[in-house]
Each structure stands twice: as structure tokens, then as C-alpha cells.
């Protein structure tokens, strides 16, 4: 594969192929299975665990032509064996300690894992997470629009819905679609995702309202500490490192910090543990790359503060919670040391126009 080429995990492609075969059986066309499978690429033609996104998109296009169905992505992904996806297995391993401890899984924990590690499954879509204390929105943006079709977008939205549904009883309250030019056939989204779809000019998104578990997570420092000490991201992060070996230690640390910020204490010990290395080795690696853990932690906090206050226009109180501060006064003091002004003044500077 060429450098910087977008990729998909082979087992993701394999699960899709199995779903195509299962769907053909369900519609009494099992005799067509050899016909369509013969047009798919041999997975052994690609080294390692990944294959080019362009090849997978071509397979989606073949299926679209084969079925002549404008909603074939939804219908096929209904038969995806989610449990067979490495990405799903990684999430399951991360949150199993919470389940074993009889701790309700906060939706924010689940959605952080999905949004931060989705590229393990496929790089076709970037899943962006917008957090508030009362709701969570996942946005699905094609990485390379010319290489991603509407059936892939449908399938990925549905897959994320199925993953969330496996671990949470929450149902989405809003679904917006920008990749569809007409609302004809939208009743299928209600059938498969349990929520009516609305057309959007700009964004594909799935929105959930926060339930009791998340409210108690945000309001109780004891609950937060309990979740933080039990939940861990090591399995997914090891998958990410294995699939994308050229990632710098600076980038790895930033990725971990953004994922655990507000969910777990962002210490160098915690980050080193995720990376399966000693603190001294982590510090040496970062020095070699011209930075330090303290510098990266400050950069991540400032970046997230901008995201929450300016991009998402959240209150300073909500931002303090999401950044993991124990009190508003503690956050305000830290914020003023970063930017030389209060959160309100900071927002006025950026949003005055």
C-alpha cells in the first residue's frame, strides 16, 4: 500500500462479505453468493491486517450494482456480526472491568472509545464526538468523500448504533443525514435505528440524551474516581499501535490524553501504563521528539478548552467537568494561567463577531 493511503481492517471487510452472503440467503438468493464473492478481492493480496479503502469502496459499489437497492448498506449491515469485529472486541475488553464491577457504563466512556479508536475498524469515516452534560452527538464525516459512498456511511452509522446498543439501553433521539438527497425510503432508518431521520445540509449525526448513569458520573467525584480506576483503554490502544506503527510517541500521548481527559487522571504514570512502558522510557522518547509530558498535557488541555468553549459553545462549568477539574474555582485558576484571562473573556474574544 502507498504511504498515507486510507485503509480498512481486513476483518471489517470480511464481516461485510459475510453479511452480504447472509442477506442473500435471507432474500432467497443464495445461488448468487458465488457470483458476487468471485468479484471481491483476495484478502491475501494485501500484507498485514489492513487493505486499501479504495478496494473496499469498490466492493460496496459492486454490491450496489448487484442488488440495485438504494438502501443496501442498511439492509446488509443489519446482518453484520458486530461481535466478530476487532474494534468491537477491543471496546468490550476495555469496559469489561466496569461490567464485572457492576458499574453502569457511562455513555460518555463508550462514545469516547468509539470516536477516538474508530480508525482501527476503518479510516473511511472520521467519528467526531460533541459532548455536553445533557446530550452526546456523534458526527460521521467521510475522510475522502470521493472514496466513500452513501451505503458505507449508512453502514457505519448503523454499526456504531449497534455497538452502543450492545452496551447501553439508551436509544438515539435524533438522526441527521447529509449524504442523502431525498427523504424517500427514510422509514428504513426508523425501522433499523429506532429514530426518525431528518435531512441535513451539512452533517451526518446520531444524538443521545444523557441518562442517570452519566448524570451521576458527572455529579459525583466518587463515581468518577470509581469509573476512572476501573475503566482502561489499553486493549484498543494496543490495536491502534499495531495497525499504525509509524505514529510518533508525541501523537500517541496526545491521543491517550484526549481520550482519558475527565474520565481518568491524566498522569505520566497512566499514559506510560497504556503504552506498556516505564515512565522513564516515555520521558526519554518524548525528549527525543523535542517535547515533554508536561508540555503535551498543557497543549491538550488548552486544545480541549478551545473545543468546548468556542467550537461547541459550552459553559465554563461544563468545560470544567469535561476536563476533569474538581471545582470551578480550580479550573478558573488554571485557565487564567494558560490564557491570561477568564473563560468568559476568552469566549468574548472569539465569539464577539
Amino acid at each position: 500500500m502507498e504511504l498515507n493511503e486510507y485503509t480498512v481492517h481486513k476483518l471489517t471487510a470480511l464481516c461485510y462479505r459475510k453479511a452480504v452472503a447472509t442477506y442473500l440467503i435471507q432474500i432467497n438468493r443464495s445461488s448468487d453468493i458465488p457470483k458476487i464473492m468471485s468479484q471481491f478481492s483476495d484478502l491475501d493480496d494485501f500484507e498485514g491486517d489492513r487493505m486499501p479503502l479504495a478496494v473496499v469502496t469498490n466492493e460496496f459499489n459492486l454490491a450496489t450494482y448487484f442488488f440495485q437497492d438504494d438502501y443496501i448498506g442498511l439492509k446488509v449491515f443489519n446482518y453484520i456480526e458486530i461481535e466478530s469485529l476487532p474494534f468491537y472486541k477491543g471496546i468490550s475488553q476495555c469496559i469489561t472491568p466496569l461490567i464485572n464491577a457492576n458499574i453502569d457504563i457511562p455513555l460518555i466512556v463508550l462514545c469516547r472509545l468509539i470516536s477516538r479508536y474508530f480508525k482501527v475498524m476503518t479510516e473511511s469515516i472520521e467519528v467526531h464526538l460533541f459532548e455536553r452534560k445533557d446530550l452526546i452527538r456523534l458526527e460521521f464525516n467521510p475522510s475522502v468523500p470521493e472514496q466513500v459512498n452513501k451505503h458505507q456511511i449508512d453502514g457505519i452509522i448503523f454499526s456504531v448504533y449497534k455497538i452502543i446498543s450492545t452496551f447501553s439501553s439508551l436509544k438515539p433521539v435524533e438522526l441527521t443525514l447529509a449524504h442523502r438527497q431525498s427523504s424517500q425510503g427514510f422509514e428504513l432508518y426508523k425501522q433499523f435505528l429506532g429514530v426518525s431521520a431528518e435531512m441535513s445540509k451539512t452533517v451526518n449525526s446520531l444524538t443521545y440524551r444523557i441518562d442517570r448513569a452519566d448524570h451521576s458520573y458527572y455529579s459525583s467525584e466518587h463515581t468518577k474516581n470509581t469509573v476512572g480506576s476501573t475503566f482502561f483503554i489499553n486493549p484498543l490502544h494496543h490495536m491502534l499501535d499495531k495497525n499504525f506503527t509509524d505514529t510518533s510517541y508525541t501523537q500517541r500521548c496526545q491521543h491517550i490524553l484526549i481520550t482519558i481527559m475527565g474520565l481518568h487522571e491524566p498522569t505520566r504514570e497512566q499514559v506510560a501504563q497504556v503504552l506498556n512502558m516505564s515512565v522513564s522510557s516515555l520521558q526519554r522518547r518524548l525528549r527525543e521528539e523535542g517535547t515533554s509530558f508536561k508540555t503535551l498535557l498543557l497543549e491538550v488541555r488548552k486544545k480541549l478548552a478551545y473545543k468546548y468553549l468556542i467550537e461547541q459553545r459550552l459553559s465554563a462549568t461544563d468545560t470544567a467537568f469535561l476536563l476533569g477539574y474538581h471545582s470551578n474555582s480550580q479550573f478558573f485558576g488554571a485557565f487564567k494561567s494558560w490564557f491570561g484571562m477568564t473563560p468568559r473573556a476568552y469566549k468574548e474574544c472569539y465569539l464577539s463577531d
Side-chain angles (χ1 to χ4, degrees):
M1 290 185 287
E2 295 180 3
L3 188 64
N4 296 327
E5 184 173 34
Y6 288 90
T7 60
V8 177
H9 199 289
K10 284 183 181 179
L11 291 182
T12 301
L14 183 59
C15 285
Y16 169 72
R17 295 178 183 186
K18 289 181 178 179
V20 168
T22 303
Y23 179 66
L24 282 168
I25 293 170
Q26 293 298 316
I27 61 175
N28 298 315
R29 290 179 58 182
S30 56
S31 61
D32 286 334
I33 293 176
K35 297 178 186 176
I36 190 167
M37 293 299 164
S38 66
Q39 299 181 60
F40 291 161
S41 302
D42 187 340
L43 296 182
D44 290 335
D45 288 344
F46 311 102
E47 295 182 4
D49 293 332
R50 306 190 71 83
M51 61 191 294
L53 168 61
V55 173
V56 175
T57 298
N58 183 59
E59 295 186 3
F60 271 85
N61 291 334
L62 287 170
T64 302
Y65 177 79
F66 190 82
F67 287 105
Q68 293 294 301
D69 186 330
D70 201 39
Y71 285 92
I72 192 59
L74 273 179
K75 294 176 181 178
V76 166
F77 270 77
N78 188 43
Y79 294 98
I80 283 278
E81 295 178 356
I82 290 293
E83 296 82 0
S84 298
L85 294 170
F87 180 63
Y88 171 90
K89 292 177 181 177
I91 289 178
S92 181
Q93 290 170 2
C94 288
I95 63 178
T96 291
L98 294 177
I99 297 172
N100 291 341
N102 293 317
I103 298 173
D104 289 332
I105 301 168
L107 184 64
I108 181 61
V109 169
L110 194 54
C111 289
R112 283 270 188 100
L113 293 175
I114 291 171
S115 66
R116 296 302 298 162
Y117 291 94
F118 194 73
K119 68 186 294 186
V120 169
M121 178 172 167
T122 174
E123 291 185 277
S124 61
I125 299 288
E126 295 178 355
V127 181
H128 296 288
L129 176 62
F130 290 80
E131 308 166 52
R132 284 186 4 200
K133 286 179 67 177
D134 59 337
L135 63 80
I136 288 175
R137 185 173 76 251
L138 294 160
E139 293 189 356
F140 304 86
N141 303 319
S143 304
V144 274
E146 67 275 10
Q147 287 189 21
V148 179
N149 63 40
K150 59 187 177 184
H151 306 292
Q152 286 164 284
I153 299 173
D154 277 343
I156 285 171
I157 293 174
F158 189 31
S159 294
V160 168
Y161 162 79
K162 290 179 76 172
I163 291 172
I164 292 175
S165 297
T166 301
F167 300 108
S168 172
S169 61
L170 289 180
K171 303 298 180 185
V173 297
E174 183 180 82
L175 170 65
T176 64
L177 305 174
H179 67 288
R180 290 285 179 179
Q181 304 302 311
S182 168
S183 61
Q184 183 178 359
F186 268 27
E187 65 275 1
L188 285 172
Y189 293 103
K190 177 73 172 180
Q191 176 184 336
F192 287 113
L193 283 81
V195 62
S196 298
E198 300 176 7
M199 294 196 64
S200 169
K201 293 181 179 180
T202 57
V203 65
N204 300 299
S205 69
L206 198 57
T207 301
Y208 291 82
R209 290 207 178 278
I210 300 300
D211 75 342
R212 179 182 57 81
D214 284 85
H215 279 305
S216 65
Y217 174 80
Y218 280 118
S219 62
S220 168
E221 198 60 42
H222 171 72
T223 303
K224 219 170 193 182
N225 290 335
T226 302
V227 171
S229 63
T230 309
F231 152 73
F232 70 125
I233 65 173
N234 303 43
L236 271 177
H237 201 84
H238 292 166
M239 285 185 184
L240 189 72
D241 283 350
K242 180 182 177 183
N243 279 261
F244 302 94
T245 56
D246 59 347
T247 307
S248 69
Y249 280 91
T250 296
Q251 292 170 318
R252 294 177 188 184
C253 284
Q254 289 171 330
H255 193 98
I256 294 167
L257 288 170
I258 292 172
T259 304
I260 68 175
M261 191 70 66
L263 306 178
H264 207 304
E265 189 67 25
T267 64
R268 55 175 55 85
E269 289 79 13
Q270 173 63 21
V271 173
Q273 192 268 335
V274 173
L275 292 172
N276 195 29
M277 62 195 313
S278 67
V279 171
S280 59
S281 294
L282 172 62
Q283 291 173 320
R284 184 179 68 255
R285 293 283 190 177
L286 293 177
R287 278 198 305 271
E288 291 170 353
E289 294 178 3
T291 188
S292 68
F293 180 83
K294 184 178 180 179
T295 298
L296 292 179
L297 180 57
L298 178 59
E299 288 175 353
V300 167
R301 280 180 166 149
K302 292 169 73 172
K303 178 180 179 179
L304 289 176
Y306 177 86
K307 173 186 175 182
Y308 296 140
L309 290 171
I310 308 304
E311 293 181 357
Q312 298 184 210
R313 304 198 176 194
L314 300 185
S315 68
T317 299
D318 284 356
T319 300
F321 270 114
L322 291 170
L323 290 178
Y325 283 90
H326 302 308
S327 66
N328 287 347
S329 59
Q330 186 186 44
F331 169 64
F332 281 26
F335 192 93
K336 198 164 184 180
S337 71
W338 303 342
F339 299 106
M341 64 181 79
T342 65
R344 172 178 283 187
Y346 184 78
K347 291 183 79 171
E348 288 174 353
C349 286
Y350 279 98
L351 302 177
S352 58
D353 295 336

